[in-house]
Amino acid sequence: MEKGIIVGVNTYQNNDNKFHEEIEELKNLCLACNIEILDCVLQNRDSFDSKTYVGKGKIEEIKLCINSLDIECVVFNDELPPSQISTLEKMLEITIYDRTFIILEIFKRRAQTREAQLQVEIASLNYLLPRLVGLREGLSRQRGAGGGFAHGRGSGETRLELDRRLTSDKIVALKKELVELTNLRKQQRVLRAKNNMKIVSLVGYTNSGKSSTLNAILKHSKGIKKEVMEKDMLFATLETSTRSIITENDAHFLLTDTVGFVNKLPHHLIEAFKSTLEEIKESDLIIHVVDCHNPHYEEQIQTTNNVLKDLGVENIPILYAFNKSDLYDGYFYIPQEYDPAITISAKNDTNITRLIKMITNILYDSYEETILHIPYNNLSLLEEIKHNAIDYNIDYDNEGAIFKGKINEKIKSKVNQYKK
Ligand SMILES: Nc1nc2c(ncn2[C@@H]2O[C@H](COP(=O)(O)OP(=O)(O)OP(=O)(O)O)[C@@H](O)[C@H]2O)c(=O)[nH]1
Ligand SMILES: [Mg+2]
């Protein structure tokens, strides 16, 4: 483990809570990168110092801290512009990381599929591009091998220009490869649309239980039950996975698990993950999973909603699922502004059938309760009706089939003459 300290500036005038939550979260993000945080140097200010992020006095405090605790790196709670990084590295003579770098590093370690790897690499290179000054030993920073931003400083301007060009070229090449993969996704989406398939996306703060909720719903599905990974770690899910869900009453939808969001999610990451997150925009319904046991759940909801806004997600119904109710002491009252909403425990299977019922009610809102009498000479129509219906049962009499259930707009016009 590398030994580090965190430096943070609280610019939220009236919100100490939010700031301290961010610092706690950064500690966990650092742990996920094998950095153990031994101390924090924090400061309240209206804005960041343009040269040194914190005030001059604080720089001395950081130096003392570095020396007394044998610190190897300093992690800043915000994304630092390139000029601040080089100033701070000169002043402190130590490896410097910022929040964005740490998050990118975690994503890099977790990315499994080619698509996720490409997205993370594009985001990292875009982040590095303006920070190339001093990065001489290749583009990927070697941790523990003098990997700070300014190490190896001293080569000429021409080398820097070359590095910049090589990095830009690499970004272009990676983007091209990503577009090819994304096109495949698009084709799959077109196919789904043709099949009139409903799409539901699970979104929410990292570690809130999105993947667990998908698995819990899957247990009640009549379809194939291939579970997704759930784990107590930040950003366990980096790739979207989709499962087909068939409910007890034959409602059918596709359920998609997505990457979790976090405070100050780097802009470059959102950009790079846009193609994957694009799917959220095409959903018929979003399930916003919230960890109601987390004391900062309301801020996490806000952060998630802000990222959704950044992605251009609008006019899609949102159903709030307040998860981990089993951990909550007593009864969890859902604040009024979150509506429709439900408390669930993905772990204990509490309220999952009710959640599924709410999902299908919203998805199939426009479906109409109908009774039809289909003659035996037109039974092929019955097959088509079944594909466009939910909650149905079929009986037979002397003349044909009696269908009772809910049907969609598409089939309604075709069956008018058979209405009872
Ligand atoms: N007690 C309790 N723990 C839960 C519940 N749901 C999920 N968890 C735990 O919370 C942790 C995170 O769950 P995930 O389902 O991986 O969370 P996620 O939202 O998919 O997280 P990321 O993919 O990292 O964004 C795991 O350790 C789960 O076992 C629940 O209802 N109750
Ligand atoms: Mg997950």
Tab-separated table of all heavy atoms in Angstrom, residues 51-100:
chain	number	residue	atom	x	y	z
A	51	LYS	N	-3.447	29.222	-7.915
A	51	LYS	CA	-2.130	28.625	-8.156
A	51	LYS	C	-1.917	27.342	-7.372
A	51	LYS	O	-1.364	26.375	-7.878
A	51	LYS	CB	-1.033	29.626	-7.766
A	51	LYS	CG	-0.931	30.805	-8.706
A	51	LYS	CD	0.467	31.409	-8.642
A	51	LYS	CE	0.609	32.555	-9.622
A	51	LYS	NZ	-0.083	33.783	-9.153
A	52	THR	N	-2.364	27.359	-6.109
A	52	THR	CA	-1.974	26.249	-5.230
A	52	THR	C	-3.162	25.476	-4.653
A	52	THR	O	-2.999	24.685	-3.733
A	52	THR	CB	-1.103	26.772	-4.060
A	52	THR	OG1	-1.777	27.886	-3.475
A	52	THR	CG2	0.268	27.192	-4.540
A	53	TYR	N	-4.364	25.702	-5.163
A	53	TYR	CA	-5.589	25.015	-4.735
A	53	TYR	C	-5.966	25.397	-3.305
A	53	TYR	O	-7.025	25.953	-3.072
A	53	TYR	CB	-5.418	23.495	-4.891
A	53	TYR	CG	-6.602	22.648	-4.462
A	53	TYR	CD1	-7.782	22.617	-5.213
A	53	TYR	CD2	-6.546	21.860	-3.316
A	53	TYR	CE1	-8.865	21.819	-4.825
A	53	TYR	CE2	-7.621	21.058	-2.924
A	53	TYR	CZ	-8.771	21.051	-3.673
A	53	TYR	OH	-9.835	20.259	-3.290
A	54	VAL	N	-5.075	25.126	-2.301
A	54	VAL	CA	-5.311	25.607	-0.934
A	54	VAL	C	-4.513	26.897	-0.733
A	54	VAL	O	-3.697	27.264	-1.576
A	54	VAL	CB	-4.828	24.581	0.122
A	54	VAL	CG1	-5.786	23.419	0.244
A	54	VAL	CG2	-3.431	24.105	-0.189
A	55	GLY	N	-4.723	27.537	0.396
A	55	GLY	CA	-3.968	28.764	0.699
A	55	GLY	C	-2.515	28.444	1.042
A	55	GLY	O	-2.172	27.299	1.339
A	56	LYS	N	-1.677	29.490	1.013
A	56	LYS	CA	-0.226	29.296	1.242
A	56	LYS	C	0.061	28.636	2.598
A	56	LYS	O	0.928	27.778	2.717
A	56	LYS	CB	0.507	30.651	1.185
A	56	LYS	CG	0.430	31.351	-0.154
A	56	LYS	CD	1.516	30.856	-1.097
A	56	LYS	CE	1.459	31.565	-2.437
A	56	LYS	NZ	0.174	31.542	-3.146
A	57	GLY	N	-0.666	29.087	3.639
A	57	GLY	CA	-0.447	28.544	4.980
A	57	GLY	C	-0.647	27.036	5.009
A	57	GLY	O	0.097	26.299	5.656
A	58	LYS	N	-1.660	26.602	4.282
A	58	LYS	CA	-1.985	25.170	4.272
A	58	LYS	C	-0.878	24.349	3.622
A	58	LYS	O	-0.664	23.196	3.952
A	58	LYS	CB	-3.308	24.936	3.527
A	58	LYS	CG	-4.517	25.206	4.362
A	58	LYS	CD	-4.790	24.089	5.365
A	58	LYS	CE	-5.734	24.598	6.437
A	58	LYS	NZ	-5.988	23.660	7.525
A	59	ILE	N	-0.178	24.972	2.653
A	59	ILE	CA	0.912	24.253	1.980
A	59	ILE	C	1.958	23.818	3.016
A	59	ILE	O	2.445	22.694	3.001
A	59	ILE	CB	1.570	25.145	0.897
A	59	ILE	CG1	0.574	25.421	-0.228
A	59	ILE	CG2	2.856	24.519	0.353
A	59	ILE	CD1	0.321	24.284	-1.179
A	60	GLU	N	2.234	24.735	3.968
A	60	GLU	CA	3.216	24.408	5.016
A	60	GLU	C	2.709	23.239	5.853
A	60	GLU	O	3.459	22.332	6.200
A	60	GLU	CB	3.483	25.640	5.918
A	60	GLU	CG	4.207	26.770	5.202
A	60	GLU	CD	5.436	26.290	4.433
A	60	GLU	OE1	6.256	25.558	5.034
A	60	GLU	OE2	5.571	26.625	3.228
A	61	GLU	N	1.402	23.284	6.155
A	61	GLU	CA	0.807	22.198	6.953
A	61	GLU	C	0.933	20.851	6.219
A	61	GLU	O	1.250	19.826	6.819
A	61	GLU	CB	-0.665	22.523	7.210
A	61	GLU	CG	-1.277	21.747	8.356
A	61	GLU	CD	-2.758	22.089	8.545
A	61	GLU	OE1	-3.109	23.287	8.610
A	61	GLU	OE2	-3.563	21.154	8.598
A	62	ILE	N	0.717	20.891	4.908
A	62	ILE	CA	0.824	19.654	4.115
A	62	ILE	C	2.259	19.131	4.174
A	62	ILE	O	2.492	17.937	4.365
A	62	ILE	CB	0.403	19.905	2.638
A	62	ILE	CG1	-1.068	20.310	2.559
A	62	ILE	CG2	0.628	18.655	1.788
A	62	ILE	CD1	-1.512	20.822	1.198
A	63	LYS	N	3.235	20.059	4.043
A	63	LYS	CA	4.646	19.644	4.069
A	63	LYS	C	4.992	18.953	5.387
A	63	LYS	O	5.638	17.903	5.405
A	63	LYS	CB	5.555	20.875	3.897
A	63	LYS	CG	5.756	21.288	2.457
A	63	LYS	CD	6.775	22.423	2.406
A	63	LYS	CE	6.874	22.991	1.009
A	63	LYS	NZ	7.557	24.286	1.012
A	64	LEU	N	4.502	19.547	6.489
A	64	LEU	CA	4.757	18.963	7.808
A	64	LEU	C	4.189	17.550	7.891
A	64	LEU	O	4.830	16.617	8.367
A	64	LEU	CB	4.083	19.821	8.891
A	64	LEU	CG	4.885	20.995	9.422
A	64	LEU	CD1	4.056	21.792	10.415
A	64	LEU	CD2	6.167	20.472	10.099
A	65	CYS	N	2.971	17.440	7.391
A	65	CYS	CA	2.265	16.164	7.406
A	65	CYS	C	3.040	15.111	6.603
A	65	CYS	O	3.210	13.968	7.043
A	65	CYS	CB	0.901	16.413	6.778
A	65	CYS	SG	-0.340	15.346	7.372
A	66	ILE	N	3.523	15.507	5.435
A	66	ILE	CA	4.269	14.590	4.567
A	66	ILE	C	5.500	14.056	5.304
A	66	ILE	O	5.769	12.858	5.318
A	66	ILE	CB	4.704	15.304	3.256
A	66	ILE	CG1	3.482	15.613	2.395
A	66	ILE	CG2	5.703	14.449	2.466
A	66	ILE	CD1	3.771	16.472	1.168
A	67	ASN	N	6.200	14.982	5.962
A	67	ASN	CA	7.437	14.581	6.634
A	67	ASN	C	7.185	13.728	7.867
A	67	ASN	O	7.837	12.708	8.076
A	67	ASN	CB	8.259	15.814	7.019
A	67	ASN	CG	8.825	16.452	5.753
A	67	ASN	OD1	9.073	15.764	4.767
A	67	ASN	ND2	8.971	17.769	5.778
A	68	SER	N	6.188	14.127	8.668
A	68	SER	CA	6.012	13.402	9.927
A	68	SER	C	5.405	12.017	9.709
A	68	SER	O	5.636	11.116	10.496
A	68	SER	CB	5.167	14.226	10.896
A	68	SER	OG	3.889	14.404	10.342
A	69	LEU	N	4.635	11.830	8.647
A	69	LEU	CA	3.979	10.523	8.459
A	69	LEU	C	4.625	9.675	7.357
A	69	LEU	O	4.122	8.609	7.019
A	69	LEU	CB	2.483	10.724	8.127
A	69	LEU	CG	1.627	11.370	9.215
A	69	LEU	CD1	0.246	11.704	8.675
A	69	LEU	CD2	1.506	10.422	10.404
A	70	ASP	N	5.720	10.190	6.814
A	70	ASP	CA	6.409	9.417	5.775
A	70	ASP	C	5.511	9.159	4.566
A	70	ASP	O	5.419	8.052	4.040
A	70	ASP	CB	6.827	8.065	6.363
A	70	ASP	CG	8.273	7.797	6.026
A	70	ASP	OD1	8.875	8.653	5.360
A	70	ASP	OD2	8.779	6.722	6.413
A	71	ILE	N	4.851	10.217	4.128
A	71	ILE	CA	3.840	10.118	3.071
A	71	ILE	C	4.489	9.975	1.690
A	71	ILE	O	5.523	10.588	1.415
A	71	ILE	CB	2.938	11.383	3.122
A	71	ILE	CG1	2.120	11.394	4.407
A	71	ILE	CG2	2.045	11.507	1.905
A	71	ILE	CD1	1.211	10.229	4.605
A	72	GLU	N	3.844	9.153	0.829
A	72	GLU	CA	4.391	8.956	-0.524
A	72	GLU	C	3.602	9.695	-1.612
A	72	GLU	O	4.082	9.891	-2.714
A	72	GLU	CB	4.401	7.459	-0.856
A	72	GLU	CG	5.357	6.655	0.010
A	72	GLU	CD	4.988	5.192	0.060
A	72	GLU	OE1	4.074	4.826	0.825
A	72	GLU	OE2	5.599	4.404	-0.677
A	73	CYS	N	2.358	10.029	-1.288
A	73	CYS	CA	1.580	10.749	-2.309
A	73	CYS	C	0.516	11.627	-1.657
A	73	CYS	O	0.084	11.354	-0.540
A	73	CYS	CB	0.916	9.770	-3.280
A	73	CYS	SG	-0.327	8.737	-2.510
A	74	VAL	N	0.105	12.662	-2.380
A	74	VAL	CA	-0.958	13.544	-1.895
A	74	VAL	C	-2.115	13.480	-2.898
A	74	VAL	O	-1.905	13.599	-4.098
A	74	VAL	CB	-0.451	15.002	-1.765
A	74	VAL	CG1	-1.573	15.917	-1.264
A	74	VAL	CG2	0.740	15.071	-0.827
A	75	VAL	N	-3.325	13.244	-2.366
A	75	VAL	CA	-4.491	13.120	-3.246
A	75	VAL	C	-5.399	14.322	-3.042
A	75	VAL	O	-5.834	14.594	-1.918
A	75	VAL	CB	-5.284	11.828	-2.921
A	75	VAL	CG1	-6.424	11.650	-3.913
A	75	VAL	CG2	-4.371	10.611	-2.936
A	76	PHE	N	-5.682	15.046	-4.111
A	76	PHE	CA	-6.538	16.232	-4.019
A	76	PHE	C	-7.978	15.861	-4.352
A	76	PHE	O	-8.228	15.054	-5.253
A	76	PHE	CB	-6.012	17.336	-4.954
A	76	PHE	CG	-4.734	17.945	-4.438
A	76	PHE	CD1	-3.520	17.300	-4.610
A	76	PHE	CD2	-4.751	19.147	-3.734
A	76	PHE	CE1	-2.343	17.837	-4.108
A	76	PHE	CE2	-3.580	19.699	-3.236
A	76	PHE	CZ	-2.374	19.036	-3.417
A	77	ASN	N	-8.904	16.481	-3.624
A	77	ASN	CA	-10.318	16.093	-3.747
A	77	ASN	C	-11.001	16.612	-5.018
A	77	ASN	O	-12.153	16.309	-5.260
A	77	ASN	CB	-11.084	16.560	-2.498
A	77	ASN	CG	-12.522	16.098	-2.508
A	77	ASN	OD1	-12.817	14.986	-2.951
A	77	ASN	ND2	-13.430	16.942	-2.057
A	78	ASP	N	-10.324	17.428	-5.814
A	78	ASP	CA	-10.934	17.946	-7.049
A	78	ASP	C	-9.998	17.714	-8.220
A	78	ASP	O	-8.813	17.431	-8.024
A	78	ASP	CB	-11.190	19.449	-6.913
A	78	ASP	CG	-12.272	19.718	-5.887
A	78	ASP	OD1	-13.444	19.740	-6.260
A	78	ASP	OD2	-11.924	19.869	-4.701
A	79	GLU	N	-10.545	17.834	-9.427
A	79	GLU	CA	-9.684	17.710	-10.603
A	79	GLU	C	-8.832	18.974	-10.698
A	79	GLU	O	-9.349	20.087	-10.728
A	79	GLU	CB	-10.528	17.539	-11.865
A	79	GLU	CG	-9.669	17.304	-13.085
A	79	GLU	CD	-10.485	16.887	-14.316
A	79	GLU	OE1	-11.443	16.109	-14.182
A	79	GLU	OE2	-10.145	17.358	-15.413
A	80	LEU	N	-7.518	18.808	-10.720
A	80	LEU	CA	-6.619	19.962	-10.756
A	80	LEU	C	-6.227	20.299	-12.186
A	80	LEU	O	-5.925	19.398	-12.970
A	80	LEU	CB	-5.335	19.663	-9.973
A	80	LEU	CG	-5.463	19.294	-8.497
A	80	LEU	CD1	-4.088	19.046	-7.899
A	80	LEU	CD2	-6.169	20.380	-7.714
A	81	PRO	N	-6.212	21.589	-12.527
A	81	PRO	CA	-5.715	21.949	-13.861
A	81	PRO	C	-4.205	21.681	-13.929
A	81	PRO	O	-3.532	21.676	-12.894
A	81	PRO	CB	-6.013	23.443	-13.959
A	81	PRO	CG	-6.341	23.897	-12.602
A	81	PRO	CD	-6.689	22.728	-11.753
A	82	PRO	N	-3.676	21.468	-15.160
A	82	PRO	CA	-2.266	21.103	-15.320
A	82	PRO	C	-1.313	22.061	-14.609
A	82	PRO	O	-0.340	21.627	-13.991
A	82	PRO	CB	-2.056	21.175	-16.830
A	82	PRO	CG	-3.405	20.991	-17.412
A	82	PRO	CD	-4.389	21.521	-16.433
A	83	SER	N	-1.594	23.367	-14.659
A	83	SER	CA	-0.657	24.334	-14.070
A	83	SER	C	-0.562	24.139	-12.555
A	83	SER	O	0.514	24.235	-11.968
A	83	SER	CB	-1.104	25.747	-14.387
A	83	SER	OG	-2.396	25.942	-13.877
A	84	GLN	N	-1.706	23.860	-11.910
A	84	GLN	CA	-1.684	23.646	-10.460
A	84	GLN	C	-0.881	22.404	-10.111
A	84	GLN	O	-0.142	22.384	-9.125
A	84	GLN	CB	-3.109	23.473	-9.929
A	84	GLN	CG	-3.783	24.771	-9.605
A	84	GLN	CD	-5.162	24.557	-8.990
A	84	GLN	OE1	-5.615	23.439	-8.799
A	84	GLN	NE2	-5.836	25.638	-8.714
A	85	ILE	N	-1.021	21.372	-10.934
A	85	ILE	CA	-0.287	20.131	-10.658
A	85	ILE	C	1.211	20.398	-10.668
A	85	ILE	O	1.914	20.027	-9.725
A	85	ILE	CB	-0.648	19.036	-11.682
A	85	ILE	CG1	-2.092	18.585	-11.449
A	85	ILE	CG2	0.288	17.837	-11.553
A	85	ILE	CD1	-2.634	17.688	-12.523
A	86	SER	N	1.697	21.104	-11.692
A	86	SER	CA	3.146	21.288	-11.727
A	86	SER	C	3.617	22.223	-10.617
A	86	SER	O	4.658	21.984	-10.010
A	86	SER	CB	3.641	21.715	-13.106
A	86	SER	OG	2.856	22.724	-13.605
A	87	THR	N	2.820	23.256	-10.292
A	87	THR	CA	3.209	24.142	-9.176
A	87	THR	C	3.287	23.342	-7.872
A	87	THR	O	4.266	23.429	-7.125
A	87	THR	CB	2.163	25.274	-9.004
A	87	THR	OG1	1.976	25.890	-10.256
A	87	THR	CG2	2.606	26.280	-7.967
A	88	LEU	N	2.229	22.555	-7.626
A	88	LEU	CA	2.182	21.816	-6.367
A	88	LEU	C	3.281	20.759	-6.289
A	88	LEU	O	3.865	20.534	-5.231
A	88	LEU	CB	0.805	21.154	-6.195
A	88	LEU	CG	-0.321	22.124	-5.829
A	88	LEU	CD1	-1.682	21.502	-6.063
A	88	LEU	CD2	-0.174	22.550	-4.367
A	89	GLU	N	3.575	20.138	-7.428
A	89	GLU	CA	4.619	19.120	-7.412
A	89	GLU	C	5.987	19.724	-7.109
A	89	GLU	O	6.780	19.143	-6.377
A	89	GLU	CB	4.633	18.346	-8.734
A	89	GLU	CG	3.958	17.009	-8.554
A	89	GLU	CD	3.754	16.242	-9.840
A	89	GLU	OE1	3.851	16.832	-10.927
A	89	GLU	OE2	3.501	15.038	-9.745
A	90	LYS	N	6.199	20.920	-7.633
A	90	LYS	CA	7.469	21.603	-7.346
A	90	LYS	C	7.550	21.974	-5.867
A	90	LYS	O	8.568	21.787	-5.217
A	90	LYS	CB	7.561	22.895	-8.189
A	90	LYS	CG	8.356	22.693	-9.462
A	90	LYS	CD	8.506	24.038	-10.165
A	90	LYS	CE	8.314	23.858	-11.655
A	90	LYS	NZ	7.754	25.015	-12.315
A	91	MET	N	6.451	22.489	-5.350
A	91	MET	CA	6.461	22.960	-3.953
A	91	MET	C	6.558	21.801	-2.964
A	91	MET	O	7.246	21.887	-1.959
A	91	MET	CB	5.180	23.752	-3.656
A	91	MET	CG	5.112	25.073	-4.377
A	91	MET	SD	3.530	25.863	-4.064
A	91	MET	CE	4.019	27.048	-2.858
A	92	LEU	N	5.848	20.715	-3.258
A	92	LEU	CA	5.759	19.630	-2.267
A	92	LEU	C	6.763	18.498	-2.530
A	92	LEU	O	7.001	17.668	-1.667
A	92	LEU	CB	4.335	19.050	-2.240
A	92	LEU	CG	3.213	20.022	-1.882
A	92	LEU	CD1	1.848	19.366	-2.065
A	92	LEU	CD2	3.359	20.498	-0.438
A	93	GLU	N	7.295	18.473	-3.732
A	93	GLU	CA	8.257	17.432	-4.137
A	93	GLU	C	7.752	16.029	-3.820
A	93	GLU	O	8.414	15.246	-3.141
A	93	GLU	CB	9.603	17.678	-3.441
A	93	GLU	CG	10.229	18.984	-3.883
A	93	GLU	CD	11.549	19.239	-3.200
A	93	GLU	OE1	11.601	19.068	-1.976
A	93	GLU	OE2	12.513	19.585	-3.898
A	94	ILE	N	6.568	15.756	-4.273
A	94	ILE	CA	5.973	14.444	-4.007
A	94	ILE	C	5.002	14.111	-5.139
A	94	ILE	O	4.595	14.999	-5.893
A	94	ILE	CB	5.241	14.468	-2.636
A	94	ILE	CG1	5.016	13.033	-2.131
A	94	ILE	CG2	3.922	15.215	-2.715
A	94	ILE	CD1	4.694	12.949	-0.671
A	95	THR	N	4.652	12.836	-5.267
A	95	THR	CA	3.681	12.431	-6.287
A	95	THR	C	2.298	12.986	-5.947
A	95	THR	O	1.850	12.887	-4.811
A	95	THR	CB	3.585	10.889	-6.346
A	95	THR	OG1	4.876	10.387	-6.623
A	95	THR	CG2	2.609	10.445	-7.422
A	96	ILE	N	1.648	13.548	-6.953
A	96	ILE	CA	0.337	14.155	-6.732
A	96	ILE	C	-0.709	13.458	-7.590
A	96	ILE	O	-0.483	13.198	-8.774
A	96	ILE	CB	0.399	15.657	-7.068
A	96	ILE	CG1	1.076	16.379	-5.907
A	96	ILE	CG2	-0.989	16.228	-7.326
A	96	ILE	CD1	1.331	17.818	-6.169
A	97	TYR	N	-1.814	13.123	-6.968
A	97	TYR	CA	-2.956	12.598	-7.712
A	97	TYR	C	-4.141	13.505	-7.457
A	97	TYR	O	-4.195	14.178	-6.430
A	97	TYR	CB	-3.318	11.190	-7.229
A	97	TYR	CG	-2.204	10.175	-7.317
A	97	TYR	CD1	-1.775	9.495	-6.187
A	97	TYR	CD2	-1.594	9.894	-8.534
A	97	TYR	CE1	-0.763	8.548	-6.262
A	97	TYR	CE2	-0.583	8.959	-8.620
A	97	TYR	CZ	-0.166	8.287	-7.484
A	97	TYR	OH	0.828	7.362	-7.560
A	98	ASP	N	-5.096	13.500	-8.382
A	98	ASP	CA	-6.339	14.195	-8.073
A	98	ASP	C	-7.491	13.201	-8.167
A	98	ASP	O	-7.313	12.048	-8.553
A	98	ASP	CB	-6.540	15.444	-8.945
A	98	ASP	CG	-6.653	15.122	-10.423
A	98	ASP	OD1	-6.744	13.930	-10.772
A	98	ASP	OD2	-6.645	16.073	-11.224
A	99	ARG	N	-8.681	13.662	-7.748
A	99	ARG	CA	-9.843	12.781	-7.665
A	99	ARG	C	-10.118	12.074	-9.003
A	99	ARG	O	-10.381	10.884	-9.059
A	99	ARG	CB	-11.056	13.613	-7.242
A	99	ARG	CG	-12.246	12.803	-6.869
A	99	ARG	CD	-13.431	13.704	-6.559
A	99	ARG	NE	-14.567	12.883	-6.204
A	99	ARG	CZ	-14.901	12.560	-4.967
A	99	ARG	NH1	-14.222	13.001	-3.952
A	99	ARG	NH2	-15.940	11.787	-4.749
A	100	THR	N	-10.007	12.862	-10.077
A	100	THR	CA	-10.275	12.296	-11.395
A	100	THR	C	-9.315	11.154	-11.709
A	100	THR	O	-9.714	10.099	-12.197
A	100	THR	CB	-10.124	13.389	-12.473
A	100	THR	OG1	-11.043	14.413	-12.163
A	100	THR	CG2	-10.396	12.857	-13.859
